[in-house]
Amino acid sequence: MTYQTLFQEVVKNHFFDHHNKVLIALSGGVDSMNLLHFLSLYQKELGISLGIAHINHKQRPESDVEEDYLRHLAENQGYPFYHADFSGIFSEKAARDFRYDFFKKVMIEEGYTALVTAHHADDQAETMLLKLLRGSRLRHLTGIRAVQEFGPGQLIRPFLTLKKSELPDVFHFEDSSNTSRNYFRNRVRHDYLPQLEKENPQFSTYLADLARENQIFQTALLELTQGFDVTDLRFFKSQSKALKEVLLGNYLEEFPKLQLTKVQFTQLLTLLENSNTYQIPLKNGYELLKAKETFCIQKISPTTDSTLTSKVLKFQEIVIFNGFQFSFLEDGEGIPLFSQSSLILRGRQPQDKINFGTFSKKLRRLFIDEKIPKKEREKAIVGEQEGKIVFVQTPNNLYLRKFAESDTMKAALNIKKL
């Protein structure tokens, strides 16, 4: 596939329609160097400005030389260059967590709304086989997504339809560790997949198709069960065994760090089906609270009601936050604001309340009165300006502070669901 064909796919899928500042994860390998060349070639057409982020894992003698080359390359092309040295005990997971934590930090501090990585179709097949070998649950056999929420914006992977062999052979560095059989992914890439492809030459394509089909299946299930209050035990217990598993699985997706095993999932299901009440720890800092008619899972001794990362929205800026685009401009349609001070976009906190003019109401009470589902409450975005809550945006509802009639409008806030 040529860059021109790929550009048409990117435009067709609207990958960068809502982004101005785009951060490229650049390792120096052939995949990421192609990504840099592609986005550099079409950045004007896409309406984006680029920055480069690089992690030196300090695992090879030549890594410092490669870092210097990439730094000079960024400087010559006029791109900001952000870099960090890996620290800690090295492992595949530790390195990945370190990379993405750094990328998120750069995005938040420097105002990037998109991180772009060079994952391709071969990575998709490898990821699927890795998950199969590790015994992942069916709902998690969905491969790598082309677009997903990440940090203050989105993580975008425009190369997922390409095989590595289709990428041009541009200048790049070869990482000798990529051939080491000490790493599980390398054994999958160099040993297991090639052996399976001897039996079925289309095996990698099959794995990618399986990921796509399972994603469609899981999305359809989620749409069909949307609005079901799984935490209502009377409703939950009245469902079939199969639907109970689906509903509980959907609910647990709200707690990605909980990471229950299959055995622990079955044990939790048993606890919910009996008539006892509980307040017991689960794992990774979470606990189950079960009353006679309802239950919930929450962080033990939480300090806030939300885990959303805060984001500052300055006057005359546009940012993407938790699935919404916020435009804070001098004029235009939207919510009238009576100050040009920066807004803080954040998750809700226990004592939050909003002023409706003749009365104020705590957000917890507001959500109960409005019958906002628990899943939506946890995704609520609070807009705070000069220490006062201006608005509360849930996935499907917007609540506004009541201002004095004598206030003079100085700006407008437009909120667009993505």
Side-chain angles (χ1 to χ4, degrees), residues 323-339:
F324 288 84
Q325 176 179 288
F326 295 87
S327 306
F328 185 13
L329 305 175
E330 187 168 1
D331 49 32
E333 297 181 355
I335 302 169
L337 295 178
F338 305 93
S339 170

Side-chain angles (χ1 to χ4, degrees), residues 30-42:
V30 66
D31 313 341
S32 65
M33 292 297 278
N34 265 285
L35 181 62
L36 173 60
H37 285 307
F38 170 72
L39 291 178
S40 295
L41 183 62
Y42 289 104

Side-chain angles (χ1 to χ4, degrees), residues 262-325:
K262 293 179 181 178
V263 172
Q264 291 167 335
F265 178 88
T266 301
Q267 291 171 341
L268 177 59
L269 195 59
T270 301
L271 292 176
L272 296 179
E273 289 175 331
N274 68 37
S275 58
N276 297 332
T277 60
Y278 301 100
Q279 181 174 356
I280 56 175
L282 297 173
K283 61 184 294 191
N284 297 336
Y286 287 90
E287 65 181 355
L288 169 67
L289 297 178
K290 180 172 179 276
K292 289 293 184 181
E293 297 182 351
T294 63
F295 80 92
C296 72
I297 292 172
Q298 66 179 27
K299 290 287 287 184
I300 297 173
S301 302
T303 56
T304 68
D305 285 354
S306 174
T307 57
L308 292 181
T309 304
S310 297
K311 177 72 176 178
V312 176
L313 174 59
K314 297 178 181 179
F315 180 58
Q316 300 288 37
E317 279 190 352
I318 299 174
V319 302
I320 291 175
F321 183 74
N322 201 38
F324 288 84
Q325 176 179 288

Side-chain angles (χ1 to χ4, degrees), residues 93-269:
K93 183 181 184 304
R96 184 186 184 282
D97 291 345
F98 184 92
R99 286 196 301 274
Y100 283 95
D101 285 345
F102 176 70
F103 297 152
K104 187 182 298 183
K105 179 174 180 288
V106 172
M107 290 176 70
I108 292 171
E109 293 180 353
E110 303 296 333
Y112 290 90
T113 60
L115 171 70
V116 189
T117 67
H119 291 91
H120 45 70
D122 296 345
D123 294 316
Q124 185 76 285
E126 291 168 13
T127 298
M128 284 293 290
L129 186 53
L130 278 166
K131 289 185 175 182
L132 283 167
L133 292 172
R134 286 170 172 159
S136 294
R137 297 177 64 85
L138 176 62
R139 67 169 50 246
H140 297 140
L141 291 177
T142 53
I144 307 170
R145 296 185 181 185
V147 180
Q148 67 185 67
E149 289 188 6
F150 178 77
Q154 293 181 321
L155 171 56
I156 301 173
R157 303 178 176 101
F159 284 5
L160 277 185
T161 57
L162 290 172
K163 287 183 172 291
K164 186 170 184 175
S165 59
E166 297 179 274
L167 294 172
D169 188 17
V170 300
F171 175 82
H172 64 279
F173 296 102
E174 291 289 352
D175 185 344
S176 58
S177 67
N178 286 337
T179 61
S180 172
R181 298 314 197 262
N182 292 329
Y183 302 113
F184 187 22
R185 181 174 285 274
N186 287 349
R187 297 195 297 275
V188 167
R189 176 180 301 157
H190 299 298
D191 298 330
Y192 307 154
L193 267 175
Q195 189 65 35
L196 290 167
E197 286 176 337
K198 290 181 181 179
E199 301 294 336
N200 179 359
Q202 298 300 315
F203 185 68
S204 290
T205 301
Y206 158 73
L207 287 175
D209 288 343
L210 177 62
R212 182 184 62 82
E213 291 175 8
N214 193 35
Q215 181 64 58
I216 292 172
F217 174 72
Q218 296 296 337
T219 301
L221 265 181
L222 190 61
E223 289 176 355
L224 289 170
T225 56
Q226 192 170 14
F228 290 7
D229 187 0
V230 63
T231 62
D232 182 337
L233 284 170
R234 289 176 297 179
F235 168 78
F236 182 75
K237 291 179 180 180
S238 69
Q239 307 306 311
S240 67
K241 184 177 185 300
L243 191 52
K244 285 177 186 175
E245 290 201 16
V246 170
L247 292 173
L248 182 58
N250 289 347
Y251 179 65
L252 292 179
E253 290 298 298
E254 300 177 28
F255 312 98
K257 294 183 179 179
L258 179 54
Q259 296 290 309
L260 293 183
T261 65
K262 293 179 181 178
V263 172
Q264 291 167 335
F265 178 88
T266 301
Q267 291 171 341
L268 177 59
L269 195 59

